[in-house]
Amino acid sequence: MNFSNDMHATAFIGLLYALISSGGTSPSLSELMKTANAVEKQTNPVYTCDESNSKNYFIYCSGEILKAVNIHGIYNDSKTFVDMPMKQDPDATLQQFNARFPNMTAEQIKRDDLIAFLDEFFSPPGTELQECVLSDWTDNPPQLMKIVDPTMRKFALDLNGIWKVLCRRVNPELTTWDRYSLIYVPHEFVVPGGRFREYYYWDAYWIIKGLLACGMYTTSKAMIDNLASLVETYGFIPNGGRVYYLQRSQPPFLSAMAYEYFERTRDFDFLYSILPVLVKEFSFWQNNRTIEVTGQNNQTYKVFLYRTNSNVPRPESYREDLVAASALPDDAKPLFYHNIASAAESGWDFSTRWFADKTSLTKIETTSIAPIDLNAIMCWNMDILEYLFKMSGNFTESRKYRDMRGEFLYALQYVFYNITVGAWFDYNVETRRQIVDFFSSIAVPLFGECYQLLNMAKPQRIYEFMKAMGVFEYPGGVPASLAKNSHEQWDFPNGWSPLNHMIVEGLRKSGNPEMQEQAFRIARKWVAGNYKVFNSTGHMWEKYDVIGTIPQPGAGGEYAVQPGFGWSNGAILDLLVTYSDRLSLPATTDLSPSTTDIPEPTSSDCNFPCPLKINVVISTVIGIAMYARVI
């Protein structure tokens, strides 16, 4: 079988990552088989899809074929198989498998025979999708033509051209959907790129930001309508467009997408039709992803967290999950799989942010952590729903979400906010302690403006904290975290477009001139780094190394860094339009690190309030001046 160099890289990286996660020892075929069989012996296994939502669940979410393919490591990337369409209906495919390998365990099946079976009964991955023509695409979008710097304008126009490469639609000639893992949607969409060949949830927000910058309102609406159709069918938006994602979502940005589109178009027909869908999705998070906690003031608050139902290996990372779980006792494996899938729901898969010991994937505890960014996003959703209902003329519902947000600000204050440090942090619901470490997610309340806007001290304090931590000093942008040598892709030294974009927007909207200027500096670094990598590689990438003297794509995690790339393109286009009269390449072509001594943070898991153990001193004067107001 032929594999590209990229797939070989993904295989090597995935295997290396899994080995590191499991303690560095490669499990044998028998050991992998034992780990896979333990799944079926669980008391209450919850698969990523089942008979309630998929007619092909026993092919793509569970069953002997899935197990055999991954036990033998047939494909370099576990995702390859579960994206391959069947040539016959699911029942017939399983019957053919059982006839070909009667009463044989996955371990007993010969690798070459299994490869021959797959070649005979499955098509290449993604063949149910077609490239498509974007009806609203133009060569020279007006907003991009307003970019003053000619180099940056050319960069923006190049990115505009990539939309055509990333456009996909479902093959209109297909009728038998049981043969595909793809979840049908009616309209065209823009994919992230690389191995992410289908649509994804939170990626779509930044893709739509970029499409709107290019004046592509029809495509933006089509993508929102696609996601809305998923809410109507499933009650929520899955992580991505495959049946194996049907037990988990991603950060909830649908309301934000609707808001961005409505603000550009004033399409009231769209507004009236989308509002019930937004409420339905909001209710999903309220009803399925909340927990009650006690705040610093001894009051009880309902906060949000990522918590999928599945407790088995993820089909798209089946082998990687087996390898990582192989070092655990059988009774610990279901909780491990549960926390792994919940971390994938967060979009931060993976980061030491979720690890109890800040080191090992096997110590993951996602469902014990109420993340500040998710809670800030939900706060922002309340604000958006208040506004959109007001615009629709439904003042009763508008007041409902206004009051809801007002109450929720107290949760952000008394659960997540550390008054000593002056910043919001994740909260461990088991230990009842804040996790006082720097992750870029702590800036999301600024992005969502989830504080009393008259309280200028609060954004100033978190800005001072981030500055003291040295995160503004890196030449390529702000890293996801300061956790070094973790081998996780959502840790240092990787920077990500969603995170850098939200930080820029949060600082820009602050009303503080110093913070606004810092927003511009981060935007300039991020755009310049992306531009230089694009010039040298011919691609945009999903993540970037923020520290190198020569900008380069990021690394780490379960798979090779992916080109494309939807949300990177969208974030850059939005920043280029926002700063159309200011952005240009730095005077020097060198993006080497600042000579400023960047402090090393010390992890601290502390209660309310607590001193942060860092090698810098936050000004006492600033601290005293900013205590006055708390919300």
Side-chain angles (χ1 to χ4, degrees), residues 511-570:
N512 181 310
E514 181 184 356
M515 294 169 65
Q516 290 172 336
E517 190 58 27
Q518 183 64 66
F520 171 71
R521 287 195 293 270
I522 296 169
R524 183 171 57 186
K525 287 180 181 182
W526 191 250
V527 170
N530 277 241
Y531 170 79
K532 290 178 182 296
V533 175
F534 180 74
N535 253 15
S536 63
T537 67
H539 295 289
M540 295 291 287
W541 300 86
E542 63 169 342
K543 55 183 178 276
Y544 294 85
D545 184 329
V546 302
I547 63 170
T549 56
I550 300 174
Q552 59 185 334
E558 297 179 295
Y559 53 84
V561 61
Q562 298 295 298
F565 196 84
W567 66 15
S568 296
N569 304 359

Side-chain angles (χ1 to χ4, degrees), residues 320-616:
E320 292 82 357
D321 285 359
L322 289 184
V323 172
S326 62
L328 296 171
D330 285 353
D331 60 355
K333 288 181 171 71
L335 182 59
F336 171 75
Y337 297 136
H338 177 55
N339 278 299
I340 282 284
S342 297
E345 182 171 72
S346 78
W348 284 58
D349 44 338
F350 298 105
S351 167
T352 52
R353 179 184 182 189
W354 311 122
F355 303 168
D357 63 355
K358 303 302 177 191
T359 301
S360 173
L361 181 68
T362 56
K363 301 295 184 181
I364 192 167
E365 57 172 2
T366 316
T367 55
S368 295
I369 297 171
I372 181 54
D373 48 348
L374 172 60
N375 282 272
I377 292 166
M378 293 305 296
C379 172
W380 190 35
N381 282 341
M382 296 170 197
D383 198 21
I384 290 171
L385 287 170
E386 175 198 345
Y387 171 73
L388 293 181
F389 271 114
K390 181 179 180 180
M391 294 304 296
S392 76
N394 190 334
F395 299 106
T396 300
E397 284 296 294
S398 178
R399 286 191 294 270
K400 169 186 168 182
Y401 287 99
R402 179 199 64 192
D403 294 345
M404 186 186 300
R405 179 180 178 275
E407 288 296 316
F408 194 64
L409 288 178
Y410 287 99
L412 291 179
Q413 172 65 24
Y414 291 114
V415 176
F416 300 98
Y417 191 71
N418 190 296
I419 197 168
T420 302
V421 176
W424 297 274
F425 296 101
D426 293 341
Y427 179 78
N428 190 305
V429 301
E430 298 295 334
T431 64
R432 298 180 61 187
R433 298 163 73 90
Q434 293 171 344
I435 303 170
V436 184
D437 285 314
F438 172 78
F439 295 97
S440 290
S441 50
I442 69 171
V444 177
L446 291 181
F447 173 71
E449 297 182 294
C450 290
Y451 55 92
Q452 191 178 78
L453 296 182
L454 293 178
N455 182 0
M456 300 299 292
K458 184 158 282 186
Q460 176 73 24
R461 288 203 72 196
I462 192 169
Y463 166 70
E464 294 291 344
F465 169 73
M466 293 175 71
K467 185 165 67 172
M469 296 298 287
V471 300
F472 299 140
E473 298 298 326
Y474 296 101
V478 179
S481 82
L482 295 178
K484 298 181 179 179
N485 303 314
S486 74
H487 305 287
E488 304 297 345
Q489 63 173 346
W490 287 86
D491 278 328
F492 190 89
N494 287 339
W496 294 77
S497 281
L499 302 182
N500 276 267
H501 183 268
M502 286 191 285
I503 291 170
V504 168
E505 285 295 284
L507 295 173
R508 186 181 68 83
K509 293 187 289 187
S510 68
N512 181 310
E514 181 184 356
M515 294 169 65
Q516 290 172 336
E517 190 58 27
Q518 183 64 66
F520 171 71
R521 287 195 293 270
I522 296 169
R524 183 171 57 186
K525 287 180 181 182
W526 191 250
V527 170
N530 277 241
Y531 170 79
K532 290 178 182 296
V533 175
F534 180 74
N535 253 15
S536 63
T537 67
H539 295 289
M540 295 291 287
W541 300 86
E542 63 169 342
K543 55 183 178 276
Y544 294 85
D545 184 329
V546 302
I547 63 170
T549 56
I550 300 174
Q552 59 185 334
E558 297 179 295
Y559 53 84
V561 61
Q562 298 295 298
F565 196 84
W567 66 15
S568 296
N569 304 359
I572 293 296
L573 284 165
D574 187 66
L575 292 175
L576 285 169
V577 168
T578 299
Y579 296 107
S580 60
D581 59 339
R582 295 188 68 188
L583 277 176
S584 61
L585 284 180
T588 174
T589 57
D590 179 23
L591 291 182
S592 56
S594 165
T595 56
T596 302
D597 183 23
I598 299 171
E600 292 278 356
T602 300
S603 174
S604 175
D605 184 7
C606 60
N607 211 333
F608 315 101
C610 67
L612 184 68
K613 301 173 184 176
I614 56 177
N615 298 328
V616 294

Side-chain angles (χ1 to χ4, degrees), residues 170-181:
V170 175
N171 185 342
E173 297 180 2
L174 301 180
T175 56
T176 309
W177 281 102
D178 297 350
R179 297 183 181 184
Y180 309 94
S181 64

Side-chain angles (χ1 to χ4, degrees), residues 43 64-65 73 140 153 174 250 261 300 310 316 343 350 358 375 467 522 545-546 623 630:
T43 304
E64 292 302 311
I65 301 178
N140 299 305
R153 189 187 320 122
L174 301 180
Q250 271 191 332
Y261 172 78
T300 299
S310 63
E316 79 281 8
F350 298 105
K358 303 302 177 191
N375 282 272
K467 185 165 67 172
I522 296 169
D545 184 329
V546 302
V630 295

Side-chain angles (χ1 to χ4, degrees), residues 136-138 140-144 156 159-160 163 208-217 264 573 577:
D136 52 350
W137 186 89
T138 58
N140 299 305
Q143 287 193 92
L144 303 192
L159 297 186
N160 178 52
W163 295 136
I208 286 172
K209 288 287 286 185
L211 293 173
L212 292 174
C214 297
M216 297 174 64
Y217 304 138
R264 294 295 186 94
L573 284 165
V577 168

Side-chain angles (χ1 to χ4, degrees), residues 60 64 67 87 104 148 156 166 227 259 303 317 382 407 409 485 532 619:
Y60 295 118
E64 292 302 311
K67 183 197 299 184
K87 296 178 181 178
M104 296 174 67
V148 173
L166 296 177
L227 297 176
Y259 164 75
V303 298
S317 298
M382 296 170 197
E407 288 296 316
L409 288 178
N485 303 314
K532 290 178 182 296
S619 168

